Amino acid sequence: MKCDRCENQAAYTRKYSGEKLCSRCFSSSIVRKTAKTISKHNMIQNNELVAVAVSGGKDSLALLDIINQMTKTHNFRIKAITIDEGIPGYRNEALEIVQEYCAKLNVEHKVFSYKELFDLTLEEALDLRESEKTSSCSICGTLRRRAIDHAAKDIGADVIATGHNLDDTLQTFVINMLSGDTTKIGWMDPDNSSNTLRKIKPFCEIYESEIVFYAFTNDIPFQTEPCPHMNEGIRTEIREFLNSLEGKHSGIKNNLYQSIIKVSQSVKDSNSKQKTICIKCGNECTGKICSVCNMVLKLKENQT
């Protein structure tokens, strides 16, 4: 079976399009699609510094590889940042992989830890929560977003790039719908070029399965050990449900993604809230105290 774009042996079949591609043509298609997404949504502009958030997983390391390739032909710079949550027996392996890969690509890399920023590791925070109904993912996600913002400001970045893929977007949309959080649905439009510190997702139109193959076929090392807390929330069940639908109806993920973008654009303005400055940390929020300070204060109250 030959590649549809050249004479080489096909290595990957895109079920939703019917394309059969060799490793080289497949990789080129992922790089081009990433570049097209960045251009279409005004994600990176001339001479900007992009903070690439690299966790050590397949998505973030594949993104670092592609973004680094793009710096050779485009006018922007990159630095890699990694957030250390303080998960015993898990984060150390990822840090080692990221540090070695950044050295290979000659990309500057800096690590920021929860312990330094919040005086709490994730494990310590979980021990202090009032109830296990507050999931580890909700605590970690809140702290991680603030840690990434801090890291970007620390290195002087204009843009934060994360490896969230199309599957991540679909799962987040379903979670927000099930929790009744329509405000967050309004934040899902990939074009946030009007924001002061922009957060971009260059893989937002690419299937997770394609990023896995890109990483394997390009010999990109990544951590295969899953986070020990990954099955505590509903995301894994939603992932399996959506994968099952895609298996029976090829292309349904692409269709749902297009619907999400339209819904997000409609909801964005109608749900807008007046932004204020948190009286504790000085970051933007929609109340007197931001969600991060609120969470850290409550956890530390339980500590005493």
PDB file of all heavy atoms in Angstrom, residues 84-88 91 113-129 136 139-140 143 229 295-296 299-300 303:
ATOM      1  N   ASP A  84       6.387  21.613  38.110  1.00  0.00           N
ATOM      2  CA  ASP A  84       6.590  20.448  38.980  1.00  0.00           C
ATOM      3  C   ASP A  84       5.556  20.480  40.099  1.00  0.00           C
ATOM      4  O   ASP A  84       5.638  21.300  41.010  1.00  0.00           O
ATOM      5  CB  ASP A  84       8.013  20.486  39.544  1.00  0.00           C
ATOM      6  CG  ASP A  84       8.309  19.319  40.486  1.00  0.00           C
ATOM      7  OD1 ASP A  84       7.437  18.449  40.648  1.00  0.00           O
ATOM      8  OD2 ASP A  84       9.419  19.292  41.056  1.00  0.00           O
ATOM      9  N   GLU A  85       4.577  19.594  40.004  1.00  0.00           N
ATOM     10  CA  GLU A  85       3.500  19.578  41.004  1.00  0.00           C
ATOM     11  C   GLU A  85       3.934  18.949  42.320  1.00  0.00           C
ATOM     12  O   GLU A  85       3.278  19.150  43.343  1.00  0.00           O
ATOM     13  CB  GLU A  85       2.277  18.793  40.479  1.00  0.00           C
ATOM     14  CG  GLU A  85       1.844  19.163  39.088  1.00  0.00           C
ATOM     15  CD  GLU A  85       2.500  18.314  38.022  1.00  0.00           C
ATOM     16  OE1 GLU A  85       3.532  17.665  38.326  1.00  0.00           O
ATOM     17  OE2 GLU A  85       2.002  18.290  36.886  1.00  0.00           O
ATOM     18  N   GLY A  86       4.997  18.151  42.250  1.00  0.00           N
ATOM     19  CA  GLY A  86       5.448  17.459  43.463  1.00  0.00           C
ATOM     20  C   GLY A  86       4.711  16.157  43.666  1.00  0.00           C
ATOM     21  O   GLY A  86       4.302  15.828  44.782  1.00  0.00           O
ATOM     22  N   ILE A  87       4.538  15.390  42.567  1.00  0.00           N
ATOM     23  CA  ILE A  87       3.899  14.068  42.658  1.00  0.00           C
ATOM     24  C   ILE A  87       4.996  13.021  42.770  1.00  0.00           C
ATOM     25  O   ILE A  87       5.748  12.800  41.820  1.00  0.00           O
ATOM     26  CB  ILE A  87       3.016  13.776  41.421  1.00  0.00           C
ATOM     27  CG1 ILE A  87       1.962  14.868  41.244  1.00  0.00           C
ATOM     28  CG2 ILE A  87       2.361  12.407  41.542  1.00  0.00           C
ATOM     29  CD1 ILE A  87       1.131  14.733  39.969  1.00  0.00           C
ATOM     30  N   PRO A  88       5.135  12.365  43.925  1.00  0.00           N
ATOM     31  CA  PRO A  88       6.228  11.396  44.134  1.00  0.00           C
ATOM     32  C   PRO A  88       6.185  10.254  43.116  1.00  0.00           C
ATOM     33  O   PRO A  88       5.120   9.725  42.783  1.00  0.00           O
ATOM     34  CB  PRO A  88       5.959  10.870  45.553  1.00  0.00           C
ATOM     35  CG  PRO A  88       5.093  11.897  46.199  1.00  0.00           C
ATOM     36  CD  PRO A  88       4.261  12.481  45.099  1.00  0.00           C
ATOM     37  N   ARG A  91       6.689  12.758  38.616  1.00  0.00           N
ATOM     38  CA  ARG A  91       7.184  13.961  37.949  1.00  0.00           C
ATOM     39  C   ARG A  91       8.681  13.896  37.650  1.00  0.00           C
ATOM     40  O   ARG A  91       9.132  14.444  36.643  1.00  0.00           O
ATOM     41  CB  ARG A  91       6.853  15.198  38.812  1.00  0.00           C
ATOM     42  CG  ARG A  91       7.296  16.517  38.225  1.00  0.00           C
ATOM     43  CD  ARG A  91       6.902  16.692  36.783  1.00  0.00           C
ATOM     44  NE  ARG A  91       5.470  16.747  36.566  1.00  0.00           N
ATOM     45  CZ  ARG A  91       4.905  16.613  35.366  1.00  0.00           C
ATOM     46  NH1 ARG A  91       5.648  16.377  34.300  1.00  0.00           N
ATOM     47  NH2 ARG A  91       3.610  16.679  35.230  1.00  0.00           N
ATOM     48  N   SER A 113       8.018  25.101  40.529  1.00  0.00           N
ATOM     49  CA  SER A 113       7.332  24.100  41.363  1.00  0.00           C
ATOM     50  C   SER A 113       6.192  24.708  42.174  1.00  0.00           C
ATOM     51  O   SER A 113       6.237  25.881  42.547  1.00  0.00           O
ATOM     52  CB  SER A 113       8.329  23.431  42.315  1.00  0.00           C
ATOM     53  OG  SER A 113       8.711  24.319  43.347  1.00  0.00           O
ATOM     54  N   TYR A 114       5.183  23.881  42.436  1.00  0.00           N
ATOM     55  CA  TYR A 114       4.081  24.288  43.317  1.00  0.00           C
ATOM     56  C   TYR A 114       4.633  24.690  44.688  1.00  0.00           C
ATOM     57  O   TYR A 114       4.150  25.636  45.304  1.00  0.00           O
ATOM     58  CB  TYR A 114       3.108  23.133  43.518  1.00  0.00           C
ATOM     59  CG  TYR A 114       2.144  22.872  42.385  1.00  0.00           C
ATOM     60  CD1 TYR A 114       2.209  23.578  41.185  1.00  0.00           C
ATOM     61  CD2 TYR A 114       1.136  21.911  42.517  1.00  0.00           C
ATOM     62  CE1 TYR A 114       1.322  23.326  40.161  1.00  0.00           C
ATOM     63  CE2 TYR A 114       0.241  21.655  41.492  1.00  0.00           C
ATOM     64  CZ  TYR A 114       0.340  22.356  40.315  1.00  0.00           C
ATOM     65  OH  TYR A 114      -0.544  22.094  39.309  1.00  0.00           O
ATOM     66  N   LYS A 115       5.633  23.928  45.161  1.00  0.00           N
ATOM     67  CA  LYS A 115       6.161  24.168  46.512  1.00  0.00           C
ATOM     68  C   LYS A 115       6.734  25.577  46.620  1.00  0.00           C
ATOM     69  O   LYS A 115       6.503  26.281  47.612  1.00  0.00           O
ATOM     70  CB  LYS A 115       7.249  23.129  46.831  1.00  0.00           C
ATOM     71  CG  LYS A 115       7.722  23.163  48.280  1.00  0.00           C
ATOM     72  CD  LYS A 115       6.630  22.706  49.241  1.00  0.00           C
ATOM     73  CE  LYS A 115       7.132  22.596  50.658  1.00  0.00           C
ATOM     74  NZ  LYS A 115       6.056  22.220  51.602  1.00  0.00           N
ATOM     75  N   GLU A 116       7.466  26.004  45.585  1.00  0.00           N
ATOM     76  CA  GLU A 116       8.054  27.346  45.597  1.00  0.00           C
ATOM     77  C   GLU A 116       6.983  28.435  45.471  1.00  0.00           C
ATOM     78  O   GLU A 116       7.052  29.472  46.118  1.00  0.00           O
ATOM     79  CB  GLU A 116       9.050  27.486  44.441  1.00  0.00           C
ATOM     80  CG  GLU A 116      10.303  26.647  44.599  1.00  0.00           C
ATOM     81  CD  GLU A 116      11.163  26.650  43.349  1.00  0.00           C
ATOM     82  OE1 GLU A 116      10.686  27.109  42.285  1.00  0.00           O
ATOM     83  OE2 GLU A 116      12.309  26.201  43.436  1.00  0.00           O
ATOM     84  N   LEU A 117       5.971  28.166  44.628  1.00  0.00           N
ATOM     85  CA  LEU A 117       4.968  29.192  44.334  1.00  0.00           C
ATOM     86  C   LEU A 117       3.872  29.284  45.385  1.00  0.00           C
ATOM     87  O   LEU A 117       3.391  30.372  45.708  1.00  0.00           O
ATOM     88  CB  LEU A 117       4.343  28.930  42.963  1.00  0.00           C
ATOM     89  CG  LEU A 117       5.277  29.017  41.757  1.00  0.00           C
ATOM     90  CD1 LEU A 117       4.558  28.598  40.482  1.00  0.00           C
ATOM     91  CD2 LEU A 117       5.820  30.430  41.597  1.00  0.00           C
ATOM     92  N   PHE A 118       3.442  28.133  45.908  1.00  0.00           N
ATOM     93  CA  PHE A 118       2.289  28.113  46.817  1.00  0.00           C
ATOM     94  C   PHE A 118       2.624  27.578  48.208  1.00  0.00           C
ATOM     95  O   PHE A 118       1.754  27.503  49.069  1.00  0.00           O
ATOM     96  CB  PHE A 118       1.165  27.256  46.213  1.00  0.00           C
ATOM     97  CG  PHE A 118       0.836  27.583  44.788  1.00  0.00           C
ATOM     98  CD1 PHE A 118       1.069  26.664  43.774  1.00  0.00           C
ATOM     99  CD2 PHE A 118       0.299  28.817  44.442  1.00  0.00           C
ATOM    100  CE1 PHE A 118       0.770  26.967  42.450  1.00  0.00           C
ATOM    101  CE2 PHE A 118      -0.009  29.132  43.130  1.00  0.00           C
ATOM    102  CZ  PHE A 118       0.238  28.203  42.128  1.00  0.00           C
ATOM    103  N   ASP A 119       3.882  27.175  48.410  1.00  0.00           N
ATOM    104  CA  ASP A 119       4.316  26.558  49.659  1.00  0.00           C
ATOM    105  C   ASP A 119       3.531  25.277  49.946  1.00  0.00           C
ATOM    106  O   ASP A 119       3.325  24.903  51.100  1.00  0.00           O
ATOM    107  CB  ASP A 119       4.180  27.547  50.827  1.00  0.00           C
ATOM    108  CG  ASP A 119       4.966  27.095  52.052  1.00  0.00           C
ATOM    109  OD1 ASP A 119       5.997  26.415  51.861  1.00  0.00           O
ATOM    110  OD2 ASP A 119       4.547  27.395  53.171  1.00  0.00           O
ATOM    111  N   LEU A 120       3.089  24.619  48.876  1.00  0.00           N
ATOM    112  CA  LEU A 120       2.363  23.347  48.974  1.00  0.00           C
ATOM    113  C   LEU A 120       2.665  22.503  47.737  1.00  0.00           C
ATOM    114  O   LEU A 120       2.626  23.015  46.618  1.00  0.00           O
ATOM    115  CB  LEU A 120       0.843  23.578  49.005  1.00  0.00           C
ATOM    116  CG  LEU A 120       0.169  24.138  50.252  1.00  0.00           C
ATOM    117  CD1 LEU A 120      -1.276  24.495  49.916  1.00  0.00           C
ATOM    118  CD2 LEU A 120       0.207  23.122  51.387  1.00  0.00           C
ATOM    119  N   THR A 121       2.971  21.229  47.912  1.00  0.00           N
ATOM    120  CA  THR A 121       3.000  20.324  46.765  1.00  0.00           C
ATOM    121  C   THR A 121       1.567  19.863  46.522  1.00  0.00           C
ATOM    122  O   THR A 121       0.678  20.072  47.372  1.00  0.00           O
ATOM    123  CB  THR A 121       3.879  19.089  47.028  1.00  0.00           C
ATOM    124  OG1 THR A 121       3.271  18.304  48.080  1.00  0.00           O
ATOM    125  CG2 THR A 121       5.287  19.491  47.452  1.00  0.00           C
ATOM    126  N   LEU A 122       1.311  19.209  45.383  1.00  0.00           N
ATOM    127  CA  LEU A 122      -0.039  18.707  45.126  1.00  0.00           C
ATOM    128  C   LEU A 122      -0.443  17.681  46.183  1.00  0.00           C
ATOM    129  O   LEU A 122      -1.584  17.701  46.669  1.00  0.00           O
ATOM    130  CB  LEU A 122      -0.117  18.074  43.727  1.00  0.00           C
ATOM    131  CG  LEU A 122      -1.473  17.446  43.381  1.00  0.00           C
ATOM    132  CD1 LEU A 122      -2.582  18.488  43.386  1.00  0.00           C
ATOM    133  CD2 LEU A 122      -1.420  16.743  42.029  1.00  0.00           C
ATOM    134  N   GLU A 123       0.481  16.811  46.539  1.00  0.00           N
ATOM    135  CA  GLU A 123       0.163  15.779  47.527  1.00  0.00           C
ATOM    136  C   GLU A 123      -0.200  16.399  48.874  1.00  0.00           C
ATOM    137  O   GLU A 123      -1.127  15.943  49.555  1.00  0.00           O
ATOM    138  CB  GLU A 123       1.348  14.809  47.679  1.00  0.00           C
ATOM    139  CG  GLU A 123       1.690  14.053  46.409  1.00  0.00           C
ATOM    140  CD  GLU A 123       0.510  13.295  45.826  1.00  0.00           C
ATOM    141  OE1 GLU A 123      -0.084  12.465  46.547  1.00  0.00           O
ATOM    142  OE2 GLU A 123       0.167  13.524  44.654  1.00  0.00           O
ATOM    143  N   GLU A 124       0.516  17.445  49.267  1.00  0.00           N
ATOM    144  CA  GLU A 124       0.194  18.142  50.522  1.00  0.00           C
ATOM    145  C   GLU A 124      -1.169  18.814  50.429  1.00  0.00           C
ATOM    146  O   GLU A 124      -1.951  18.800  51.389  1.00  0.00           O
ATOM    147  CB  GLU A 124       1.274  19.178  50.830  1.00  0.00           C
ATOM    148  CG  GLU A 124       2.607  18.557  51.256  1.00  0.00           C
ATOM    149  CD  GLU A 124       3.742  19.569  51.307  1.00  0.00           C
ATOM    150  OE1 GLU A 124       3.607  20.683  50.753  1.00  0.00           O
ATOM    151  OE2 GLU A 124       4.783  19.229  51.907  1.00  0.00           O
ATOM    152  N   ALA A 125      -1.472  19.383  49.259  1.00  0.00           N
ATOM    153  CA  ALA A 125      -2.775  20.028  49.059  1.00  0.00           C
ATOM    154  C   ALA A 125      -3.902  19.011  49.153  1.00  0.00           C
ATOM    155  O   ALA A 125      -4.957  19.281  49.751  1.00  0.00           O
ATOM    156  CB  ALA A 125      -2.809  20.732  47.707  1.00  0.00           C
ATOM    157  N   LEU A 126      -3.694  17.821  48.596  1.00  0.00           N
ATOM    158  CA  LEU A 126      -4.731  16.785  48.632  1.00  0.00           C
ATOM    159  C   LEU A 126      -4.988  16.312  50.062  1.00  0.00           C
ATOM    160  O   LEU A 126      -6.128  16.012  50.435  1.00  0.00           O
ATOM    161  CB  LEU A 126      -4.329  15.600  47.750  1.00  0.00           C
ATOM    162  CG  LEU A 126      -4.217  15.881  46.246  1.00  0.00           C
ATOM    163  CD1 LEU A 126      -3.859  14.618  45.492  1.00  0.00           C
ATOM    164  CD2 LEU A 126      -5.518  16.474  45.698  1.00  0.00           C
ATOM    165  N   ASP A 127      -3.941  16.254  50.850  1.00  0.00           N
ATOM    166  CA  ASP A 127      -4.102  15.851  52.256  1.00  0.00           C
ATOM    167  C   ASP A 127      -4.888  16.885  53.050  1.00  0.00           C
ATOM    168  O   ASP A 127      -5.525  16.556  54.058  1.00  0.00           O
ATOM    169  CB  ASP A 127      -2.727  15.646  52.914  1.00  0.00           C
ATOM    170  CG  ASP A 127      -2.021  14.397  52.418  1.00  0.00           C
ATOM    171  OD1 ASP A 127      -2.713  13.499  51.885  1.00  0.00           O
ATOM    172  OD2 ASP A 127      -0.778  14.320  52.532  1.00  0.00           O
ATOM    173  N   LEU A 128      -4.859  18.146  52.599  1.00  0.00           N
ATOM    174  CA  LEU A 128      -5.500  19.236  53.341  1.00  0.00           C
ATOM    175  C   LEU A 128      -6.927  19.541  52.872  1.00  0.00           C
ATOM    176  O   LEU A 128      -7.627  20.309  53.525  1.00  0.00           O
ATOM    177  CB  LEU A 128      -4.659  20.521  53.207  1.00  0.00           C
ATOM    178  CG  LEU A 128      -3.278  20.499  53.876  1.00  0.00           C
ATOM    179  CD1 LEU A 128      -2.488  21.742  53.487  1.00  0.00           C
ATOM    180  CD2 LEU A 128      -3.419  20.402  55.394  1.00  0.00           C
ATOM    181  N   ARG A 129      -7.351  18.945  51.755  1.00  0.00           N
ATOM    182  CA  ARG A 129      -8.696  19.256  51.252  1.00  0.00           C
ATOM    183  C   ARG A 129      -9.755  18.759  52.236  1.00  0.00           C
ATOM    184  O   ARG A 129      -9.575  17.751  52.929  1.00  0.00           O
ATOM    185  CB  ARG A 129      -8.917  18.633  49.877  1.00  0.00           C
ATOM    186  CG  ARG A 129      -8.789  17.130  49.837  1.00  0.00           C
ATOM    187  CD  ARG A 129      -8.903  16.575  48.432  1.00  0.00           C
ATOM    188  NE  ARG A 129      -8.447  15.192  48.387  1.00  0.00           N
ATOM    189  CZ  ARG A 129      -8.485  14.417  47.306  1.00  0.00           C
ATOM    190  NH1 ARG A 129      -8.961  14.893  46.183  1.00  0.00           N
ATOM    191  NH2 ARG A 129      -8.024  13.182  47.347  1.00  0.00           N
ATOM    192  N   SER A 136      -8.639  15.787  42.773  1.00  0.00           N
ATOM    193  CA  SER A 136      -7.240  16.191  42.632  1.00  0.00           C
ATOM    194  C   SER A 136      -7.039  17.000  41.356  1.00  0.00           C
ATOM    195  O   SER A 136      -6.238  17.939  41.326  1.00  0.00           O
ATOM    196  CB  SER A 136      -6.337  14.955  42.622  1.00  0.00           C
ATOM    197  OG  SER A 136      -6.751  14.050  41.614  1.00  0.00           O
ATOM    198  N   ILE A 139      -8.037  20.706  41.873  1.00  0.00           N
ATOM    199  CA  ILE A 139      -7.008  21.425  42.637  1.00  0.00           C
ATOM    200  C   ILE A 139      -5.775  21.648  41.766  1.00  0.00           C
ATOM    201  O   ILE A 139      -5.265  22.762  41.649  1.00  0.00           O
ATOM    202  CB  ILE A 139      -6.628  20.650  43.914  1.00  0.00           C
ATOM    203  CG1 ILE A 139      -7.809  20.629  44.901  1.00  0.00           C
ATOM    204  CG2 ILE A 139      -5.389  21.264  44.580  1.00  0.00           C
ATOM    205  CD1 ILE A 139      -7.582  19.778  46.126  1.00  0.00           C
ATOM    206  N   CYS A 140      -5.316  20.575  41.124  1.00  0.00           N
ATOM    207  CA  CYS A 140      -4.096  20.655  40.319  1.00  0.00           C
ATOM    208  C   CYS A 140      -4.274  21.616  39.141  1.00  0.00           C
ATOM    209  O   CYS A 140      -3.380  22.410  38.834  1.00  0.00           O
ATOM    210  CB  CYS A 140      -3.716  19.263  39.805  1.00  0.00           C
ATOM    211  SG  CYS A 140      -2.104  19.210  39.002  1.00  0.00           S
ATOM    212  N   LEU A 143      -4.119  25.311  40.305  1.00  0.00           N
ATOM    213  CA  LEU A 143      -2.752  25.712  40.648  1.00  0.00           C
ATOM    214  C   LEU A 143      -1.856  25.735  39.411  1.00  0.00           C
ATOM    215  O   LEU A 143      -1.002  26.619  39.272  1.00  0.00           O
ATOM    216  CB  LEU A 143      -2.177  24.760  41.704  1.00  0.00           C
ATOM    217  CG  LEU A 143      -2.902  24.701  43.055  1.00  0.00           C
ATOM    218  CD1 LEU A 143      -2.204  23.728  43.994  1.00  0.00           C
ATOM    219  CD2 LEU A 143      -2.993  26.083  43.692  1.00  0.00           C
ATOM    220  N   HIS A 229      -3.334  10.221  39.413  1.00  0.00           N
ATOM    221  CA  HIS A 229      -4.651  10.762  39.763  1.00  0.00           C
ATOM    222  C   HIS A 229      -5.603  10.847  38.561  1.00  0.00           C
ATOM    223  O   HIS A 229      -6.714  11.352  38.694  1.00  0.00           O
ATOM    224  CB  HIS A 229      -4.492  12.165  40.363  1.00  0.00           C
ATOM    225  CG  HIS A 229      -3.617  12.214  41.574  1.00  0.00           C
ATOM    226  ND1 HIS A 229      -3.968  11.649  42.780  1.00  0.00           N
ATOM    227  CD2 HIS A 229      -2.379  12.750  41.764  1.00  0.00           C
ATOM    228  CE1 HIS A 229      -2.997  11.842  43.662  1.00  0.00           C
ATOM    229  NE2 HIS A 229      -2.025  12.501  43.072  1.00  0.00           N
ATOM    230  N   MET A 295      -8.446  29.035  47.008  1.00  0.00           N
ATOM    231  CA  MET A 295      -8.126  27.631  47.244  1.00  0.00           C
ATOM    232  C   MET A 295      -6.956  27.490  48.213  1.00  0.00           C
ATOM    233  O   MET A 295      -7.023  26.714  49.179  1.00  0.00           O
ATOM    234  CB  MET A 295      -7.788  26.938  45.920  1.00  0.00           C
ATOM    235  CG  MET A 295      -7.379  25.486  46.076  1.00  0.00           C
ATOM    236  SD  MET A 295      -7.065  24.717  44.486  1.00  0.00           S
ATOM    237  CE  MET A 295      -8.740  24.592  43.839  1.00  0.00           C
ATOM    238  N   VAL A 296      -5.882  28.233  47.981  1.00  0.00           N
ATOM    239  CA  VAL A 296      -4.695  28.137  48.838  1.00  0.00           C
ATOM    240  C   VAL A 296      -5.024  28.557  50.266  1.00  0.00           C
ATOM    241  O   VAL A 296      -4.588  27.919  51.240  1.00  0.00           O
ATOM    242  CB  VAL A 296      -3.531  28.970  48.269  1.00  0.00           C
ATOM    243  CG1 VAL A 296      -2.361  29.010  49.252  1.00  0.00           C
ATOM    244  CG2 VAL A 296      -3.065  28.404  46.928  1.00  0.00           C
ATOM    245  N   LEU A 299      -6.968  25.744  51.974  1.00  0.00           N
ATOM    246  CA  LEU A 299      -6.102  24.613  52.270  1.00  0.00           C
ATOM    247  C   LEU A 299      -5.209  24.898  53.477  1.00  0.00           C
ATOM    248  O   LEU A 299      -5.022  24.052  54.345  1.00  0.00           O
ATOM    249  CB  LEU A 299      -5.232  24.279  51.045  1.00  0.00           C
ATOM    250  CG  LEU A 299      -5.973  23.685  49.839  1.00  0.00           C
ATOM    251  CD1 LEU A 299      -5.054  23.636  48.615  1.00  0.00           C
ATOM    252  CD2 LEU A 299      -6.500  22.284  50.152  1.00  0.00           C
ATOM    253  N   LYS A 300      -4.687  26.130  53.538  1.00  0.00           N
ATOM    254  CA  LYS A 300      -3.782  26.458  54.636  1.00  0.00           C
ATOM    255  C   LYS A 300      -4.523  26.656  55.962  1.00  0.00           C
ATOM    256  O   LYS A 300      -3.944  26.463  57.030  1.00  0.00           O
ATOM    257  CB  LYS A 300      -2.956  27.685  54.274  1.00  0.00           C
ATOM    258  CG  LYS A 300      -1.964  27.381  53.161  1.00  0.00           C
ATOM    259  CD  LYS A 300      -0.893  28.440  52.993  1.00  0.00           C
ATOM    260  CE  LYS A 300       0.157  27.944  52.021  1.00  0.00           C
ATOM    261  NZ  LYS A 300       1.236  28.916  51.808  1.00  0.00           N
ATOM    262  N   GLN A 303      -4.532  23.446  57.455  1.00  0.00           N
ATOM    263  CA  GLN A 303      -3.197  23.032  57.882  1.00  0.00           C
ATOM    264  C   GLN A 303      -2.944  23.387  59.346  1.00  0.00           C
ATOM    265  O   GLN A 303      -2.170  22.724  60.028  1.00  0.00           O
ATOM    266  CB  GLN A 303      -2.161  23.720  56.986  1.00  0.00           C
ATOM    267  CG  GLN A 303      -0.763  23.143  57.032  1.00  0.00           C
ATOM    268  CD  GLN A 303       0.140  23.795  55.995  1.00  0.00           C
ATOM    269  OE1 GLN A 303      -0.033  24.964  55.658  1.00  0.00           O
ATOM    270  NE2 GLN A 303       1.079  23.042  55.457  1.00  0.00           N
TER     271      GLN A 303
END
